[in-house]
Amino acid sequence: MSEGGCLCGAVRYRVTGEPVAATLCHCGSCRRASGGTNVAWAVFEKDKFEWLAGEPTAYSSSPGIEWLFCDKCGSLVGYRRASRPDHMDITTGTLDDPGRYPPTVEIWLEQRIGWETLHPELPKCQQSSLNANE
């Protein structure tokens, strides 16, 4: 079991078990949503996830895509995709112990910033490891 939350603490969550995937995403949408060069994600089965305090605000960037953030401090805490209704993606950096779920693959390399250094030991995907066929 692991817990996490936003910068101000208004939104808190708990995950149990192991993630379905742990990725380091370089796509343009993640960069814009977070303000960072990439975002680490841990993807859990929806029944292994629960909100403990607060509810994030959802922003739909396109049909079927929701970015979940704290409406008080702005922290990006999660992501939902209608085509994967049984999954909850959380930003690994919002976990109390982010080291517990290190990324196992780098994704969306075709959109990465050219000067960004890649992890030499992680497998690479030009697009997503979970939804490349969508």
Side-chain angles (χ1 to χ4, degrees):
M1 176 178 69
S2 293
E3 293 185 7
C6 67
L7 180 62
C8 73
V11 174
R12 294 286 300 166
Y13 62 83
R14 177 181 297 139
V15 294
T16 56
E18 293 302 310
V20 173
T23 67
L24 186 60
C25 185
H26 298 274
C27 81
S29 294
C30 282
R31 287 198 311 271
R32 289 185 182 275
S34 70
T37 59
N38 59 62
V39 175
W41 294 99
V43 181
F44 289 87
E45 295 289 342
K46 193 173 180 179
D47 65 352
K48 305 289 185 189
F49 175 88
E50 66 178 309
W51 297 112
L52 298 175
E55 284 280 335
T57 296
Y59 168 72
S60 180
S61 60
S62 56
I65 304 292
E66 290 186 329
W67 301 86
L68 307 174
F69 62 93
C70 175
D71 65 1
K72 293 182 180 31
C73 67
S75 294
L76 176 64
V77 295
Y79 173 90
R80 289 187 295 229
R81 178 179 278 274
S83 62
R84 291 191 280 114
D86 296 333
H87 289 164
M88 171 57 84
D89 301 22
I90 58 150
T91 47
T92 306
T94 62
L95 285 158
D96 295 343
D97 181 9
R100 185 165 177 189
Y101 305 108
T104 59
V105 62
E106 289 188 86
I107 62 173
W108 288 102
L109 293 189
E110 71 181 26
Q111 295 183 14
R112 83 176 174 92
I113 299 171
W115 50 258
E116 189 177 8
T117 303
L118 300 177
H119 192 291
E121 297 171 17
L122 291 179
K124 316 285 188 259
C125 289
Q126 290 303 307
Q127 294 184 352
S128 174
S129 57
L130 287 176
N131 59 322
N133 297 322
E134 296 175 14

